[in-house]
Structure formats: C-alpha cells, structure tokens
Amino acid sequence: MTDEFADLAELMREEQELTEGLTERDPEARRRRGRRGLLITAIVLVVILGSVGGYVGWALTAPLSAPAMTSQAPAAPASSPAPVVLPAGAASAIAISGADAYLGPTASTMWATTGTNDPRPMASLSKLITALVILDAKPLADANDPGPTITFSKADHDLYDKYYVMGATIAAMPIGSSMSERDALATMLIPSASNYAEAVSTWAYGSQGAFVSAARRWLAANGLTSTTLVEPTGMSARNTSTPTDLVALGRLAAANPVIASIAATRSLSLPGPGSMANTNDLLGVNGITGLKTGNLGEGTYNLLYTATMDVGIGQPLGIVGVVLGETTRAAVDNDVRALLTGIGEGFRDVPVAERDQQVGSLATPWGATAKLAIADNTSILTWSDTPITVDMKTTTPKTYADGEVVGSITWTAGPNTVSSDVVLQGSIEQPTEWWRLTHPGELGAP
C-alpha cells in the first residue's frame, strides 16, 4: 500500500507541472488535464477503500487479551476445642492408642494425667495383679479353657468368715465343693470376692508367702516398680500403685485373653456362689470393655478401665485409663463418662466449603464475565481445634466454557487432606464484530 501512495504522489506532481505550463486557451490540454484528474480521483478512491478493507480484516481477526482472572482462597474455619473434662477431684491417667497422628506422639504411652503420680491404695485393683500372677503359675490355653479343677477345703471355707468380718465382698465356697480355675478367677474378679482371691492364690503357689514373693518378682519383671502388693485382695491400704503404673497394668490385663474375657462379663451364675454381677457398672457405656473397680471406703474409689471407641479415623481407639481416690462410685463413673464423651466428640467433621461458593471471577474488556466456584460440599475430619490450612491453585482456562475445571483447593488438618475442584460458572463469549471494529486499542495483544 506504500507503493500505491508513492505512485499517486508522483502522478499528482506531474499533473501540477503540466497545469502550470498550459494556458486556458489550449482545449486539447484542458481535455488531457480532465482525463488525468479523473484518473487521480479513481486512484485515490481505490487507495482509501483498500485501507478500510485492510483495517476491517485486521480488526476482525486480531488476537485478544486473555480475560483477567482474580481469585481468593476461602478462609479456613476455626474449630472449637474438644469438650474434654479430666477428673478434677482425683488422680487419673489415660493412654489412647491408634490416634497419635491426631492426639500427639505420646498419646499411646500417656495422653493426659491429673493429680499427682504418688502411690495410692489400689483396693481391689490388686485382684488384677493376683489373677495375672496366678495365670503365670497356672496358665490357661485360651479364654475358654476351664483349666484344672480346684477343690475347696475347710481352710478355704473359713476364709468366707474371715473376710465377712473385714467387710469385704465374699462368695460362697462350700467345703468339698469344686470349681474350674477359670470360674474361680471369674468369681474373684467379677463380684470381687476376696475369699476367692486368697484361696486361689494359695492353691497356685502353696502359701501366701510364696504367692506374695512371686507377685513381687512379677511386678519387677513387668516394670511396675512403683507398685507394692503385700496381700492378694486389696483390703490392705499397703497395696499401692501410681496412675502411670496402673495404666501399664491395664495394658497387661487387657492383653491377657482370659482376664479380658472375664472383665468384660456383665454377670454369671455358678454352683456354689450363685448369681453374680460385675462391680463395673460402666461396661458397655462409651465403649468400655473392662477392667476392675476397687474401694476402701469414702475417698478411695478407684476404676481401672479399658475402652474401644470408633471415631471415624479408620481404626477404633484403644483406651486404658484409671481414676484413683474419688469420693464415691458415682463420682468415678461420672468422671470416666465425661472424659470419654469429650474424647469422642472431639473427633469431628468440620465443613470447609459449600458447593457453588465463589472464590474468584473472570472479566473481559468487552463485558463478558464468569465466576470461579467450588465444585462440591467439602468437610474434613479433625481433632479438637487442630488448625486447618487452605491451599488454592488455579490454571488458565482452555475453553472458557461453563463447568470447565480451572483449579483446585486443598484443606489440611493434622494427618487428613481433602480437595475440591474449582470450576467456571458461566462462559466467556467472544466479542461482537462491532466491538472489534470500534475498539482497536484493545486489539492486537498476543
């Protein structure tokens, strides 16, 4: 097009020179001049029309700037602390296995304690040690193995009167009656019959002296160095232990299939003792599966307990806990129920996003717009007030069509991560031809 303008300029120059050399009286010159003027006019029109056509072609095909995208990750929700209520009026300890990623790396060993870790009277928690030491000498093959038969003598029968006078829990033991080892252990543990604790431990070791010596060796071998046992029933306040030792004892007892099975039994009926109910009235409450109660009167109520709790993390929690020195049995039960309820409620699904929640937008110079929105309702499982972090990534759309995936948002809380797509809501349409023709300054961008 530059060459055409140059040719036109040359032609006009020549026309001017010719005009200057002619007179108005030369008809032939005037005719040539007219014809040349028409030619110049035609050439000018051609040049102008060519220029307009070139602009139109360029305007209709020139590239456009990409739509401007803005985005903002949604704020992470804040979770409230778990409603965990630890026993306030007693010494306690609790260990929780299966959730270290949520509760901390030491939760399986010891998650929380209250009070001091000083030795306190165990009371009938002692009978768990007695049962384990008896099984060390007289093992059973499995939880259903009745074991050898024990026949009770007059000396055994006299223990009924001995412990009756002491105010202990007792069960009938007629002279000459017999019972399997497993049933005798059940009578010792379920109703907490003290006369059975002494009779069966003497049967296993030959004398109380031999039993106590064996019990001390057993405690040392199992690392229970802060536990003292001087007799098999717990009637002596000199049978003492600490919360941390008792949690360890609870693990040992729960790992023994005979003890675990007996401790989970709500009631039983046997010839001689008759019907017996478990002293642990929390069995089945909050997933509690055992183990043993104990008390020596007001201010010495104890419970060593195990529980299994499904909180939705893929495997149930394994819980071992102890409360020592509460004022009443009801207070112990309330302590344990409140604690386990709080732990269960502390694992929760926290909503982090709603479907169609806007997280950004697209806009163009010609007025087309679209939204960036979260594709799905999303929640994350977390523990208590564990912080939740948010990470959003977006990409340049390819089609700019409604529903196109243009990114993702990821939420993380403790060991858990969840994600949702970010999608376009609405399509970015091309500008009209008129807009292109009238907005040359918006065209030509790569």
Side-chain angles (χ1 to χ4, degrees), residues 40 80 135 146 175 316 369:
I40 292 171
S80 57
L135 287 168
I175 298 173
T369 61

Side-chain angles (χ1 to χ4, degrees), residues 277-316:
N278 200 311
T279 57
N280 183 4
D281 54 11
L282 289 182
L283 282 177
V285 177
N286 293 102
I288 292 176
T289 57
L291 283 162
K292 188 73 185 72
T293 64
N295 78 88
L296 291 175
E298 184 176 356
T300 64
Y301 283 84
N302 307 328
L303 176 65
L304 179 57
Y305 61 93
T306 53
T308 300
M309 187 181 300
D310 187 354
V311 294
I313 63 173
Q315 61 177 340

Side-chain angles (χ1 to χ4, degrees), residues 207-222:
S207 69
Q208 279 301 291
F211 163 73
V212 170
S213 296
R216 290 172 178 168
R217 291 192 299 272
W218 185 90
L219 290 169
N222 285 281

Side-chain angles (χ1 to χ4, degrees), residues 5 24 46 102 142 153 190 198 309 362 417:
F5 278 115
E24 293 295 325
V46 169
Y102 296 88
D142 54 44
S153 64
I190 292 174
E198 182 171 338
M309 187 181 300
L362 290 172
T417 297

Side-chain angles (χ1 to χ4, degrees), residues 349-397:
D349 281 309
V350 177
V352 291
E354 295 181 355
R355 179 186 175 92
D356 299 331
Q357 180 179 339
Q358 186 174 350
V359 293
S361 62
L362 290 172
T364 69
W366 58 93
T369 61
K371 296 179 180 178
L372 275 64
I374 297 174
D376 304 296
N377 294 324
T378 310
S379 62
I380 189 167
L381 176 65
T382 186
W383 157 255
S384 188
D385 53 357
T386 300
I388 300 172
T389 60
V390 186
D391 180 37
M392 183 167 76
K393 292 181 172 61
T394 58
T395 60
T396 301

